[in-house]
Amino acid sequence: MAIKLNKDESVFRNELLFTADAKAINIDYTMVNLFMLLRHDGIRPKQRNRAGENAFVEINKLKKAFSILEEEGSISGFTENSDAVEIWMRTNLVNMVFRGNLDKEKISSLRPIHLESYRVRNAQNTRDYFSADQVYLMLGQNPQVKEDLKQFLMEGWDKTTNSISNTRTLDVDSLGILHLIKKFNPGFIESSSSLNQIKPILKQQAELYCDDVRRILVYKREIPRNVLIDYLKTITSFHLSLYIQKLIYLLPKIVTEGSFDIKDDWTIVLDSTDDFESKISKVAIEDADRMYNSIYDYIKATFQINAVLKKENLEKNNSNHLDRALEVLKNPPHDFDVYFKMRWDYILGSLDDEDKELLNSMVKYETSYFDKYIELLVKTRGPYQYKYHVQFIDNLSQKNNERGFIAQGRSKKHPRRFVLGTRLLEALVQIQVLHREDDGFITKSLSIEELTKKIKERYGLIINGLSESRFEDADLNTHLAFKENVDAFKQKLRQIGFYNDLSDAYILQKIRPRYELK
């Protein structure tokens, strides 16, 4: 059954709700495009077309740039060590698609190490599907944090003179990138953007991300730059995943209530054991199932808002338009259904009798033409959106990765469950050991109970749920599951060097900061 939908009806993405398309996201490409947005104040500049051999950046072109730099006296030793330099570039300086496949591998961009990294990229291989826009909007909740991040990322580069200005705080990879970009002038054309008119609808979540970025930046003189960048990348991916998962949970409620002022009571249980057969895995699997099963409700809520914006002739470029859409959905005017009856009649009129009967059977339980129209959109476009949202969340959550918090086994016996990767845990602990004092931060030791409580209160991630209302009537098996989970959590902390319980004295069993800040 071929149903005629116009171009606007088929579009799901709504920047007012979430800027990104649900696609296979690579967080490195998100960061590269975020750097571009930060550099150009929220605008994605268009790159001038280049012809012939200058159209694509390749390894040989980067090697040629180093050769020219050596001739100019900016660097030395390239000619004698060109093979070693190529290995360094491939390993540390560039991202690649089809890495390792000599016939297909191509450079996508420089690694997101410095703010100017975006200048050397092959745009078609560095698509972020507008996920960087969402990060930029979240940073906009705290302009000072956004500016601090920008200043940190552009250290060592003078944008006025387009030259290296100070190398004392830079590592060798950042210096290599800065030397390379001196020889590349991609030619950007400024373009218009409405991004700065949009505000994240989950403001508290955006503010939480800003606060985590601010806390990570506290370590900028204590932690090597490349490690700090890795932390920023890890928590950015983490917060994007949290944001879309909370949006999936909260948006249907927002539409029902007709207001953004609703309680955020989203929580999930994490399995810390790294064992698919652990006692706690059942609970973590149930929470993951509930989230993925809620995607269709989120898809429906998005189509409802999109349909009202279209009917009211409101563009998806101003957050104030969302308030109007919710008001109409909560209290539809008396002629509200007329518009959707026209759309329904048009779609029905384009079908033959057999398809008309099939379509009517699909929506036989819907009472209004608006509900019939939305159900039609969900039935025709929902499976596609569901498929790619699952993939999208997997990528943002760094599935089966130490930086992530979703894992899945290879067999159907081991479906997706929420977990806690050690690299993600390390970044979160670095944030949690910071305590605000006056206008700055200091580091303090924490007990296991204090840390698990902070992670639950701050992010909604449950490691020991026995104090949670949802587990107040828990049986013995659940108690044993959470005990096993806490023990595994302690073991992870030992692995990353934050926890040592050699003493039997409970008071000495603390998570201790790796870097002391006073």
Side-chain angles (χ1 to χ4, degrees):
M1 179 173 61
I3 296 177
K4 290 185 178 180
L5 297 175
N6 63 40
K7 182 179 179 182
D8 290 335
E9 289 170 325
S10 299
V11 173
F12 178 83
R13 186 173 79 94
N14 185 339
E15 288 185 333
L16 300 179
L17 302 176
F18 194 78
T19 67
D21 270 323
K23 300 288 185 182
I25 298 292
N26 182 316
I27 193 62
D28 273 3
Y29 302 161
T30 299
M31 298 300 285
V32 168
N33 284 277
L34 173 64
F35 291 1
M36 179 173 63
L37 289 172
L38 288 170
R39 179 68 171 79
H40 295 270
D41 298 321
I43 293 173
R44 284 179 180 257
K46 296 178 181 178
Q47 192 167 333
R48 290 190 179 96
N49 291 329
R50 294 173 294 180
E53 62 179 12
N54 292 322
F56 206 87
V57 178
E58 297 176 334
I59 283 288
N60 287 336
K61 188 175 291 188
L62 299 183
K63 291 174 70 175
K64 184 178 180 180
F66 273 125
S67 178
I68 295 172
L69 287 166
E70 186 177 40
E71 292 173 5
E72 295 174 349
S74 298
I75 63 173
S76 61
F78 170 76
T79 303
E80 296 85 351
N81 304 281
S82 60
D83 290 342
V85 172
E86 180 172 347
I87 293 172
W88 171 56
M89 284 193 293
R90 287 177 173 273
T91 306
N92 291 26
L93 297 193
V94 300
N95 286 317
M96 287 185 149
V97 293
F98 305 112
R99 185 184 286 273
N101 186 330
L102 297 181
D103 295 327
K104 298 176 67 177
E105 71 174 11
K106 295 178 180 178
I107 290 176
S108 54
S109 69
L110 294 179
R111 287 191 182 276
I113 296 172
H114 194 276
L115 190 72
E116 300 291 335
S117 297
Y118 75 92
R119 289 172 54 174
V120 180
R121 79 191 198 283
N122 296 310
Q124 62 270 44
N125 292 333
T126 322
R127 296 186 64 187
D128 69 313
Y129 302 100
F130 302 102
S131 55
D133 298 54
Q134 184 65 35
V135 182
Y136 183 83
L137 291 181
M138 292 161 68
L139 285 170
Q141 283 298 110
N142 191 323
Q144 185 58 53
V145 170
K146 182 169 71 173
E147 184 60 28
D148 290 345
L149 176 62
K150 182 177 177 179
Q151 292 302 318
F152 166 71
L153 291 171
M154 69 185 298
E155 282 182 355
W157 184 257
D158 188 333
K159 65 179 182 180
T160 304
T161 61
N162 221 30
S163 62
I164 298 173
S165 60
N166 185 356
T167 62
R168 287 181 299 175
T169 61
L170 297 181
D171 57 287
V172 66
D173 294 342
S174 299
L175 278 173
I177 282 176
L178 290 182
H179 277 296
L180 277 176
I181 65 175
K182 290 192 300 184
K183 295 303 173 186
F184 284 85
N185 184 18
F188 289 110
I189 305 170
E190 294 295 337
S191 60
S192 59
S193 171
S194 58
L195 196 59
N196 291 312
Q197 293 178 263
I198 301 173
K199 302 294 182 185
I201 64 174
L202 303 184
K203 294 180 180 178
Q204 289 184 339
Q205 193 61 35
E207 289 167 357
L208 179 60
Y209 172 61
C210 290
D211 192 53
D212 276 4
V213 171
R214 173 170 52 189
R215 287 167 179 261
I216 288 294
L217 291 177
V218 168
Y219 293 106
K220 66 183 179 181
R221 296 294 174 254
E222 309 293 329
I223 295 178
R225 181 185 174 89
N226 61 333
V227 176
L228 195 70
I229 294 287
D230 191 68
Y231 283 158
L232 287 169
K233 186 167 65 173
T234 299
I235 66 166
T236 297
S237 186
F238 171 67
H239 275 279
L240 275 174
S241 182
L242 283 185
Y243 195 100
I244 187 61
Q245 289 188 49
K246 285 194 174 186
L247 195 59
I248 287 169
Y249 176 73
L250 295 173
L251 188 63
K253 295 184 178 184
I254 290 171
V255 169
T256 301
E257 296 296 324
S259 170
F260 293 110
D261 187 20
I262 60 172
K263 182 180 179 181
D264 179 2
D265 57 354
W266 179 90
T267 60
I268 57 173
V269 172
L270 299 182
D271 181 353
S272 302
T273 66
D274 295 333
D275 179 7
F276 285 108
E277 305 292 339
S278 68
K279 295 181 178 67
I280 200 66
S281 64
K282 180 181 177 182
V283 185
I285 288 169
E286 289 173 353
D287 281 3
D289 283 344
R290 184 164 51 249
M291 186 273 293
Y292 284 105
N293 290 337
S294 299
I295 292 177
Y296 270 107
D297 292 335
Y298 166 71
I299 292 169
K300 180 177 180 179
T302 301
F303 276 131
Q304 287 175 316
I305 291 173
N306 288 350
V308 173
L309 290 173
K310 175 65 177 174
K311 178 194 174 296
E312 298 291 315
N313 292 317
L314 298 173
E315 297 292 334
K316 300 175 185 177
N317 60 3
N318 191 319
S319 291
N320 294 329
H321 295 167
L322 272 182
D323 295 323
R324 172 60 183 163
L326 291 179
E327 181 185 341
V328 170
L329 282 169
K330 183 69 174 176
N331 301 297
H334 68 279
D335 61 342
F336 180 70
D337 228 26
V338 174
Y339 172 85
F340 296 101
K341 182 180 185 303
M342 291 172 57
R343 287 300 308 147
W344 179 261
D345 289 343
Y346 172 78
I347 293 169
L348 205 63
S350 65
L351 305 176
D352 58 32
D353 292 341
E354 185 178 346
D355 286 342
K356 285 179 183 179
E357 185 177 346
L358 178 60
L359 181 57
N360 282 319
S361 68
M362 287 168 53
V363 299
K364 62 182 178 181
Y365 297 111
E366 308 303 331
T367 56
S368 70
Y369 285 102
F370 174 71
D371 291 336
K372 290 180 179 180
Y373 175 73
I374 296 300
E375 187 65 18
L376 168 65
L377 294 178
V378 172
K379 286 281 179 30
T380 55
R381 303 297 297 167
Y384 173 89
Q385 290 297 332
Y386 177 84
K387 172 185 175 182
Y388 283 100
H389 271 84
V390 170
Q391 187 181 52
F392 180 62
I393 294 168
D394 283 352
N395 289 152
L396 289 181
S397 304
Q398 303 287 320
K399 188 179 80 171
N400 295 336
N401 188 305
E402 286 304 314
R403 289 188 175 88
F405 66 115
I406 284 180
Q408 181 183 18
R410 293 185 177 182
S411 75
K412 291 184 179 180
K413 288 175 56 180
H414 304 136
R416 289 176 179 83
R417 76 194 199 283
F418 289 111
V419 296
L420 184 59
T422 52
R423 298 285 288 275
L424 173 60
L425 176 59
E426 181 180 343
L428 295 181
V429 173
Q430 296 283 30
I431 291 168
Q432 302 314 312
V433 296
L434 287 172
H435 294 255
R436 181 175 288 282
E437 187 172 275
D438 300 326
D439 294 331
F441 290 94
I442 62 170
T443 50
K444 285 186 177 179
S445 298
L446 296 171
S447 68
I448 291 290
E449 289 77 10
E450 287 172 327
L451 179 59
T452 56
K453 184 179 179 181
K454 278 177 171 287
I455 290 175
K456 158 52 176 65
E457 291 176 349
R458 193 171 178 86
Y459 307 110
L461 309 180
I462 298 173
I463 295 160
N464 185 0
L466 294 178
S467 61
E468 300 295 315
S469 59
R470 62 187 277 201
F471 298 109
E472 59 186 2
D473 298 323
D475 57 16
L476 177 61
N477 287 333
T478 305
H479 278 260
L480 292 174
F482 278 119
K483 181 181 183 304
E484 178 188 52
N485 207 35
V486 172
D487 288 342
F489 181 65
K490 292 179 182 178
Q491 182 60 31
K492 281 185 181 288
L493 288 168
R494 291 188 191 98
Q495 290 173 3
I496 58 178
F498 281 103
Y499 183 65
N500 190 330
D501 57 354
L502 294 176
S503 171
D504 291 333
Y506 180 78
I507 195 171
L508 297 178
Q509 297 176 7
K510 296 282 189 179
I511 291 94
R512 304 190 183 280
R514 185 172 296 168
Y515 305 94
E516 294 287 343
L517 299 177
K518 298 180 180 180

